[in-house]
Amino acid sequence: MKRVVITAGASGIGLAIVKCFVASGARVHVCDVDGDAVARVSRELGVTGSVADVARSADVARMIGEATAALGGIDVAINNAGIGGPNAAVEDLSDEDWDQVLRVNLTGMFYVVRAVTPLMKAQNSGVILNISTTSVATGLPRRSPYVVSKGGVESFTRNLARELGPHNIRCNTIRPGSIENDRGRALLRARAEREGLSYDEALQQRLQFISMRSRIAPEEVGETAVFLASDAARHVSGQCVSVCGNVEWEG
């Protein structure tokens, strides 16, 4: 039975990942900044949880300690926590804008990896999955901190795969595409308003640049995570797996 820690696991893609692992029979510990959401997910899904901000190293150390105590160890760490940051021209970004996105999206991931690696080395096994975005491949104007942070996530993952592979620790990245959930719909509505379009017009424009002409259900990301954490993927490491229907371009 896999013992899994998932950051930002109380809503959105993270919650979908939690549900997929629970369905697979795994034991799950959820981390999130929203205490009410952690309590609700714990109650409804029978998982354990911690309230923690991944941008704070002390929070992460405490959370990993709580997860280890609750699960009896950690086999899989999924770094899903991230923020979108500002929508602004690069010359208008403040120091705070840049620092906050990098701290949550990339440094927070480092804190989690640093905390779980000794545990995984000691058991000579483990899986680390880091969530990125297709925007790394396409570029996304006015979203530089977000795209740069996720590019860092992918480089970090590749380097981890090489460093930790001799310890039988596998490290991979998942790139979600355009997600059909509340956040994905909110982003599309915001774009429609900026450009004077209806929601359906904005959606059709978006689908025009996805080869399969469809958006992604968050559960598809969860299902991919379950596979990559499974023994069926026991020699898959250092890879970036896109779950996106082949996003060709993003604007």
mmCIF file of all heavy atoms in Angstrom, residues 97-128:
data_model
loop_
_atom_site.group_PDB
_atom_site.id
_atom_site.type_symbol
_atom_site.label_atom_id
_atom_site.label_comp_id
_atom_site.label_asym_id
_atom_site.label_seq_id
_atom_site.Cartn_x
_atom_site.Cartn_y
_atom_site.Cartn_z
ATOM 1 N N ASP A 97 6.246 40.571 -6.574
ATOM 2 C CA ASP A 97 5.561 39.689 -7.526
ATOM 3 C C ASP A 97 6.453 38.506 -7.889
ATOM 4 O O ASP A 97 6.035 37.339 -7.847
ATOM 5 C CB ASP A 97 5.218 40.443 -8.813
ATOM 6 C CG ASP A 97 4.105 41.453 -8.660
ATOM 7 O OD1 ASP A 97 3.276 41.286 -7.742
ATOM 8 O OD2 ASP A 97 4.066 42.405 -9.454
ATOM 9 N N TRP A 98 7.662 38.816 -8.293
ATOM 10 C CA TRP A 98 8.610 37.792 -8.740
ATOM 11 C C TRP A 98 8.960 36.834 -7.602
ATOM 12 O O TRP A 98 8.905 35.612 -7.751
ATOM 13 C CB TRP A 98 9.866 38.467 -9.280
ATOM 14 C CG TRP A 98 10.878 37.523 -9.828
ATOM 15 C CD1 TRP A 98 11.906 36.937 -9.152
ATOM 16 C CD2 TRP A 98 10.951 37.028 -11.167
ATOM 17 N NE1 TRP A 98 12.626 36.115 -9.984
ATOM 18 C CE2 TRP A 98 12.066 36.160 -11.226
ATOM 19 C CE3 TRP A 98 10.189 37.250 -12.319
ATOM 20 C CZ2 TRP A 98 12.435 35.502 -12.410
ATOM 21 C CZ3 TRP A 98 10.563 36.600 -13.489
ATOM 22 C CH2 TRP A 98 11.670 35.740 -13.526
ATOM 23 N N ASP A 99 9.315 37.398 -6.469
ATOM 24 C CA ASP A 99 9.788 36.583 -5.346
ATOM 25 C C ASP A 99 8.714 35.635 -4.827
ATOM 26 O O ASP A 99 8.999 34.481 -4.497
ATOM 27 C CB ASP A 99 10.266 37.481 -4.201
ATOM 28 C CG ASP A 99 11.550 38.221 -4.538
ATOM 29 O OD1 ASP A 99 12.231 37.835 -5.507
ATOM 30 O OD2 ASP A 99 11.869 39.202 -3.839
ATOM 31 N N GLN A 100 7.470 36.120 -4.747
ATOM 32 C CA GLN A 100 6.413 35.277 -4.193
ATOM 33 C C GLN A 100 6.158 34.055 -5.055
ATOM 34 O O GLN A 100 6.028 32.930 -4.546
ATOM 35 C CB GLN A 100 5.116 36.074 -4.027
ATOM 36 C CG GLN A 100 3.996 35.245 -3.399
ATOM 37 C CD GLN A 100 2.659 35.955 -3.391
ATOM 38 O OE1 GLN A 100 2.405 36.824 -4.229
ATOM 39 N NE2 GLN A 100 1.803 35.589 -2.450
ATOM 40 N N VAL A 101 6.082 34.244 -6.372
ATOM 41 C CA VAL A 101 5.797 33.116 -7.256
ATOM 42 C C VAL A 101 6.936 32.101 -7.212
ATOM 43 O O VAL A 101 6.707 30.889 -7.105
ATOM 44 C CB VAL A 101 5.551 33.597 -8.700
ATOM 45 C CG1 VAL A 101 5.366 32.405 -9.632
ATOM 46 C CG2 VAL A 101 4.320 34.494 -8.757
ATOM 47 N N LEU A 102 8.170 32.577 -7.286
ATOM 48 C CA LEU A 102 9.306 31.655 -7.248
ATOM 49 C C LEU A 102 9.383 30.932 -5.905
ATOM 50 O O LEU A 102 9.725 29.745 -5.848
ATOM 51 C CB LEU A 102 10.605 32.412 -7.512
ATOM 52 C CG LEU A 102 11.078 32.539 -8.970
ATOM 53 C CD1 LEU A 102 11.549 31.191 -9.500
ATOM 54 C CD2 LEU A 102 10.025 33.136 -9.874
ATOM 55 N N ARG A 103 9.036 31.641 -4.841
ATOM 56 C CA ARG A 103 9.139 31.032 -3.507
ATOM 57 C C ARG A 103 8.111 29.911 -3.339
ATOM 58 O O ARG A 103 8.436 28.845 -2.802
ATOM 59 C CB ARG A 103 8.951 32.085 -2.421
ATOM 60 C CG ARG A 103 9.239 31.548 -1.034
ATOM 61 C CD ARG A 103 9.562 32.639 -0.035
ATOM 62 N NE ARG A 103 10.086 32.073 1.196
ATOM 63 C CZ ARG A 103 11.338 31.727 1.395
ATOM 64 N NH1 ARG A 103 12.229 31.879 0.428
ATOM 65 N NH2 ARG A 103 11.739 31.207 2.529
ATOM 66 N N VAL A 104 6.886 30.129 -3.765
ATOM 67 C CA VAL A 104 5.867 29.087 -3.629
ATOM 68 C C VAL A 104 6.097 27.958 -4.631
ATOM 69 O O VAL A 104 6.138 26.773 -4.267
ATOM 70 C CB VAL A 104 4.452 29.676 -3.807
ATOM 71 C CG1 VAL A 104 3.408 28.558 -3.814
ATOM 72 C CG2 VAL A 104 4.147 30.689 -2.719
ATOM 73 N N ASN A 105 6.259 28.311 -5.891
ATOM 74 C CA ASN A 105 6.253 27.313 -6.957
ATOM 75 C C ASN A 105 7.526 26.490 -7.053
ATOM 76 O O ASN A 105 7.489 25.323 -7.448
ATOM 77 C CB ASN A 105 6.001 27.977 -8.304
ATOM 78 C CG ASN A 105 4.618 28.572 -8.422
ATOM 79 O OD1 ASN A 105 3.858 28.606 -7.448
ATOM 80 N ND2 ASN A 105 4.268 29.063 -9.594
ATOM 81 N N LEU A 106 8.666 27.090 -6.722
ATOM 82 C CA LEU A 106 9.938 26.388 -6.896
ATOM 83 C C LEU A 106 10.651 26.133 -5.568
ATOM 84 O O LEU A 106 11.008 25.003 -5.255
ATOM 85 C CB LEU A 106 10.837 27.183 -7.844
ATOM 86 C CG LEU A 106 12.166 26.539 -8.233
ATOM 87 C CD1 LEU A 106 11.966 25.147 -8.822
ATOM 88 C CD2 LEU A 106 12.910 27.434 -9.228
ATOM 89 N N THR A 107 10.816 27.186 -4.756
ATOM 90 C CA THR A 107 11.499 26.983 -3.479
ATOM 91 C C THR A 107 10.688 26.074 -2.566
ATOM 92 O O THR A 107 11.251 25.221 -1.862
ATOM 93 C CB THR A 107 11.764 28.335 -2.791
ATOM 94 O OG1 THR A 107 12.518 29.170 -3.683
ATOM 95 C CG2 THR A 107 12.543 28.155 -1.510
ATOM 96 N N GLY A 108 9.369 26.211 -2.574
ATOM 97 C CA GLY A 108 8.524 25.332 -1.770
ATOM 98 C C GLY A 108 8.689 23.876 -2.162
ATOM 99 O O GLY A 108 8.701 22.973 -1.310
ATOM 100 N N MET A 109 8.846 23.643 -3.457
ATOM 101 C CA MET A 109 9.071 22.285 -3.945
ATOM 102 C C MET A 109 10.406 21.742 -3.426
ATOM 103 O O MET A 109 10.513 20.577 -3.016
ATOM 104 C CB MET A 109 9.038 22.289 -5.470
ATOM 105 C CG MET A 109 8.959 20.938 -6.107
ATOM 106 S SD MET A 109 8.651 21.048 -7.881
ATOM 107 C CE MET A 109 6.942 21.610 -7.902
ATOM 108 N N PHE A 110 11.424 22.610 -3.440
ATOM 109 C CA PHE A 110 12.725 22.223 -2.896
ATOM 110 C C PHE A 110 12.616 21.843 -1.427
ATOM 111 O O PHE A 110 13.200 20.849 -0.982
ATOM 112 C CB PHE A 110 13.716 23.377 -3.073
ATOM 113 C CG PHE A 110 14.879 23.336 -2.126
ATOM 114 C CD1 PHE A 110 15.841 22.347 -2.229
ATOM 115 C CD2 PHE A 110 14.993 24.282 -1.112
ATOM 116 C CE1 PHE A 110 16.913 22.302 -1.334
ATOM 117 C CE2 PHE A 110 16.049 24.244 -0.225
ATOM 118 C CZ PHE A 110 17.010 23.249 -0.330
ATOM 119 N N TYR A 111 11.853 22.620 -0.647
ATOM 120 C CA TYR A 111 11.703 22.303 0.773
ATOM 121 C C TYR A 111 11.125 20.900 0.970
ATOM 122 O O TYR A 111 11.561 20.148 1.847
ATOM 123 C CB TYR A 111 10.787 23.321 1.457
ATOM 124 C CG TYR A 111 11.348 24.711 1.601
ATOM 125 C CD1 TYR A 111 10.492 25.814 1.665
ATOM 126 C CD2 TYR A 111 12.720 24.937 1.698
ATOM 127 C CE1 TYR A 111 10.990 27.101 1.814
ATOM 128 C CE2 TYR A 111 13.218 26.229 1.847
ATOM 129 C CZ TYR A 111 12.349 27.299 1.904
ATOM 130 O OH TYR A 111 12.837 28.572 2.048
ATOM 131 N N VAL A 112 10.112 20.560 0.170
ATOM 132 C CA VAL A 112 9.492 19.233 0.289
ATOM 133 C C VAL A 112 10.487 18.142 -0.094
ATOM 134 O O VAL A 112 10.642 17.136 0.614
ATOM 135 C CB VAL A 112 8.217 19.143 -0.571
ATOM 136 C CG1 VAL A 112 7.677 17.706 -0.587
ATOM 137 C CG2 VAL A 112 7.144 20.101 -0.059
ATOM 138 N N VAL A 113 11.170 18.329 -1.215
ATOM 139 C CA VAL A 113 12.134 17.326 -1.674
ATOM 140 C C VAL A 113 13.247 17.145 -0.646
ATOM 141 O O VAL A 113 13.649 16.018 -0.330
ATOM 142 C CB VAL A 113 12.708 17.723 -3.050
ATOM 143 C CG1 VAL A 113 13.887 16.833 -3.425
ATOM 144 C CG2 VAL A 113 11.626 17.649 -4.129
ATOM 145 N N ARG A 114 13.748 18.247 -0.127
ATOM 146 C CA ARG A 114 14.815 18.166 0.871
ATOM 147 C C ARG A 114 14.360 17.365 2.097
ATOM 148 O O ARG A 114 15.140 16.589 2.663
ATOM 149 C CB ARG A 114 15.239 19.569 1.298
ATOM 150 C CG ARG A 114 16.371 19.583 2.314
ATOM 151 C CD ARG A 114 16.817 20.988 2.624
ATOM 152 N NE ARG A 114 15.770 21.802 3.254
ATOM 153 C CZ ARG A 114 15.927 23.077 3.591
ATOM 154 N NH1 ARG A 114 17.084 23.699 3.334
ATOM 155 N NH2 ARG A 114 14.934 23.743 4.159
ATOM 156 N N ALA A 115 13.105 17.536 2.476
ATOM 157 C CA ALA A 115 12.595 16.850 3.674
ATOM 158 C C ALA A 115 12.336 15.369 3.447
ATOM 159 O O ALA A 115 12.549 14.559 4.362
ATOM 160 C CB ALA A 115 11.321 17.546 4.153
ATOM 161 N N VAL A 116 11.873 14.989 2.250
ATOM 162 C CA VAL A 116 11.524 13.576 2.042
ATOM 163 C C VAL A 116 12.699 12.730 1.564
ATOM 164 O O VAL A 116 12.685 11.508 1.728
ATOM 165 C CB VAL A 116 10.345 13.413 1.045
ATOM 166 C CG1 VAL A 116 9.110 14.122 1.544
ATOM 167 C CG2 VAL A 116 10.716 13.861 -0.363
ATOM 168 N N THR A 117 13.713 13.352 0.996
ATOM 169 C CA THR A 117 14.810 12.576 0.416
ATOM 170 C C THR A 117 15.524 11.672 1.429
ATOM 171 O O THR A 117 15.774 10.490 1.138
ATOM 172 C CB THR A 117 15.808 13.501 -0.301
ATOM 173 O OG1 THR A 117 15.159 14.087 -1.437
ATOM 174 C CG2 THR A 117 17.026 12.721 -0.782
ATOM 175 N N PRO A 118 15.854 12.147 2.637
ATOM 176 C CA PRO A 118 16.504 11.229 3.593
ATOM 177 C C PRO A 118 15.642 10.015 3.929
ATOM 178 O O PRO A 118 16.166 8.906 4.103
ATOM 179 C CB PRO A 118 16.724 12.109 4.828
ATOM 180 C CG PRO A 118 16.766 13.508 4.303
ATOM 181 C CD PRO A 118 15.785 13.522 3.177
ATOM 182 N N LEU A 119 14.331 10.203 4.013
ATOM 183 C CA LEU A 119 13.428 9.084 4.292
ATOM 184 C C LEU A 119 13.461 8.075 3.149
ATOM 185 O O LEU A 119 13.509 6.856 3.381
ATOM 186 C CB LEU A 119 12.003 9.596 4.490
ATOM 187 C CG LEU A 119 11.779 10.658 5.566
ATOM 188 C CD1 LEU A 119 10.347 11.168 5.509
ATOM 189 C CD2 LEU A 119 12.093 10.089 6.941
ATOM 190 N N MET A 120 13.433 8.567 1.922
ATOM 191 C CA MET A 120 13.429 7.674 0.767
ATOM 192 C C MET A 120 14.775 6.989 0.583
ATOM 193 O O MET A 120 14.841 5.806 0.226
ATOM 194 C CB MET A 120 13.026 8.456 -0.484
ATOM 195 C CG MET A 120 11.578 8.920 -0.469
ATOM 196 S SD MET A 120 11.103 9.822 -1.971
ATOM 197 C CE MET A 120 9.340 10.049 -1.685
ATOM 198 N N LYS A 121 15.853 7.714 0.843
ATOM 199 C CA LYS A 121 17.171 7.079 0.761
ATOM 200 C C LYS A 121 17.298 5.958 1.779
ATOM 201 O O LYS A 121 17.862 4.890 1.484
ATOM 202 C CB LYS A 121 18.267 8.122 0.990
ATOM 203 C CG LYS A 121 18.575 9.003 -0.211
ATOM 204 C CD LYS A 121 19.767 9.902 0.085
ATOM 205 C CE LYS A 121 20.170 10.701 -1.155
ATOM 206 N NZ LYS A 121 21.342 11.571 -0.874
ATOM 207 N N ALA A 122 16.781 6.177 2.971
ATOM 208 C CA ALA A 122 16.895 5.173 4.030
ATOM 209 C C ALA A 122 16.177 3.880 3.665
ATOM 210 O O ALA A 122 16.611 2.781 4.051
ATOM 211 C CB ALA A 122 16.343 5.730 5.338
ATOM 212 N N GLN A 123 15.079 3.988 2.890
ATOM 213 C CA GLN A 123 14.331 2.782 2.498
ATOM 214 C C GLN A 123 14.707 2.309 1.090
ATOM 215 O O GLN A 123 14.177 1.309 0.610
ATOM 216 C CB GLN A 123 12.825 3.043 2.576
ATOM 217 C CG GLN A 123 12.305 4.098 1.632
ATOM 218 C CD GLN A 123 10.912 4.602 1.990
ATOM 219 O OE1 GLN A 123 10.464 4.480 3.127
ATOM 220 N NE2 GLN A 123 10.220 5.189 1.021
ATOM 221 N N ASN A 124 15.636 3.054 0.461
ATOM 222 C CA ASN A 124 16.118 2.731 -0.893
ATOM 223 C C ASN A 124 14.976 2.611 -1.901
ATOM 224 O O ASN A 124 14.976 1.759 -2.780
ATOM 225 C CB ASN A 124 16.935 1.432 -0.904
ATOM 226 C CG ASN A 124 17.749 1.281 -2.186
ATOM 227 O OD1 ASN A 124 18.374 2.234 -2.642
ATOM 228 N ND2 ASN A 124 17.733 0.094 -2.766
ATOM 229 N N SER A 125 14.016 3.528 -1.783
ATOM 230 C CA SER A 125 12.909 3.568 -2.748
ATOM 231 C C SER A 125 12.118 4.844 -2.540
ATOM 232 O O SER A 125 12.106 5.423 -1.449
ATOM 233 C CB SER A 125 11.979 2.360 -2.583
ATOM 234 O OG SER A 125 11.310 2.411 -1.336
ATOM 235 N N GLY A 126 11.462 5.260 -3.601
ATOM 236 C CA GLY A 126 10.599 6.427 -3.501
ATOM 237 C C GLY A 126 10.252 6.983 -4.858
ATOM 238 O O GLY A 126 10.892 6.675 -5.871
ATOM 239 N N VAL A 127 9.223 7.805 -4.874
ATOM 240 C CA VAL A 127 8.768 8.469 -6.094
ATOM 241 C C VAL A 127 8.501 9.930 -5.761
ATOM 242 O O VAL A 127 7.803 10.232 -4.782
ATOM 243 C CB VAL A 127 7.483 7.827 -6.652
ATOM 244 C CG1 VAL A 127 6.961 8.616 -7.852
ATOM 245 C CG2 VAL A 127 7.730 6.366 -7.028
ATOM 246 N N ILE A 128 9.043 10.821 -6.581
ATOM 247 C CA ILE A 128 8.768 12.250 -6.463
ATOM 248 C C ILE A 128 8.138 12.699 -7.772
ATOM 249 O O ILE A 128 8.717 12.500 -8.848
ATOM 250 C CB ILE A 128 10.056 13.047 -6.181
ATOM 251 C CG1 ILE A 128 10.638 12.649 -4.815
ATOM 252 C CG2 ILE A 128 9.786 14.551 -6.239
ATOM 253 C CD1 ILE A 128 12.018 13.226 -4.548
#
